[in-house]
Amino acid sequence: MEEFSFLRILRELSRVARRTWRNFLLHSKSLLAFLTHTHTRNYYFIGTLPGIVIKLISEGKADFDGCKGPFTLPTDLSSIEDIEKIDLSSLGKRLQGVFTGKIIRLISDIRAKHGKGSVNLDKCGKFTLAEDLSDISDMTSIDLSSINSLEGDIQALGNCTQLASVGFRICEKITGDIQVLEKCTQLT
């Protein structure tokens, strides 16, 4: 099984006939669509999805239907802070990962600015709350609702004392004692 590598894809692309390349580009939306279409039947792409790939998938400009994965979220998505929509539901169970403070902040910020439907991780694989979320202790609102594969202990939010709202609707795998949030005097 080969690891997902753009360099490897580009090397293999050089072996594709020029005519096939031209014909496909006439009917394709992007170079990445060509690359994934050409190679998904021959390779198993695995590993961390770079921010730009997450953006392309969310915009419908990249198709990973033939890739078996698994794929993981990067620990830091700051390279796509300006993104208005994240929709990785097409990756299904092949996408998994740990929700670090940076990921939680990005998801919550996007939902606050663009609505709850602006982040869709429905039907994805297992996501886990990071054990240490002290880097988001300044946040006043967290919205991870409707991410039904999210697991972890609510204890991870123990240092987030500035919270005024917490959304875990349809997150049935979040466990722990809700008393950990009693330090959050702003909660409504």
Side-chain angles (χ1 to χ4, degrees), residues 26-116:
L26 290 174
H27 306 289
S28 175
K29 296 179 187 175
S30 73
L31 173 63
L32 188 59
F34 174 74
L35 295 174
T36 58
H37 174 78
T38 303
H39 296 285
T40 54
R41 287 163 184 80
N42 301 323
Y43 297 97
Y44 295 95
F45 295 151
I46 62 172
T48 303
L49 294 174
I52 187 64
V53 173
I54 290 172
K55 189 172 185 173
L56 289 170
I57 293 169
S58 297
E59 293 172 350
K61 295 179 180 175
D63 180 6
F64 281 68
D65 283 344
C67 303
K68 293 188 179 191
F71 307 111
T72 56
L73 292 172
T75 55
D76 182 5
L77 287 171
S78 60
S79 65
I80 55 170
E81 285 177 335
D82 61 337
I83 195 168
E84 296 179 5
K85 172 185 159 190
I86 294 178
D87 185 351
L88 300 175
S89 59
S90 65
L91 297 176
K93 301 284 185 204
R94 298 171 292 166
L95 179 64
Q96 55 200 2
V98 175
F99 275 27
T100 62
K102 290 180 180 183
I103 290 175
I104 292 170
R105 186 181 302 274
L106 180 68
I107 290 171
S108 298
D109 288 350
I110 291 171
R111 286 182 165 176
K113 292 175 189 169
H114 305 287
K116 290 190 183 289

Side-chain angles (χ1 to χ4, degrees), residues 93 95-98 124-128 149-151:
K93 301 284 185 204
L95 179 64
Q96 55 200 2
V98 175
C124 288
K126 179 182 172 182
F127 294 122
T128 308
S149 63
L150 181 60
E151 300 180 7

Side-chain angles (χ1 to χ4, degrees), residues 129 150-156 171-178:
L129 282 177
L150 181 60
E151 300 180 7
D153 193 329
I154 201 164
Q155 181 70 35
C171 295
E172 298 170 356
K173 297 177 184 173
I174 296 296
T175 60
D177 190 351
I178 200 159

Side-chain angles (χ1 to χ4, degrees), residues 170-186:
I170 310 179
C171 295
E172 298 170 356
K173 297 177 184 173
I174 296 296
T175 60
D177 190 351
I178 200 159
Q179 294 295 331
V180 74
L181 298 178
E182 71 184 357
K183 298 175 191 172
C184 304
T185 58
Q186 307 296 326

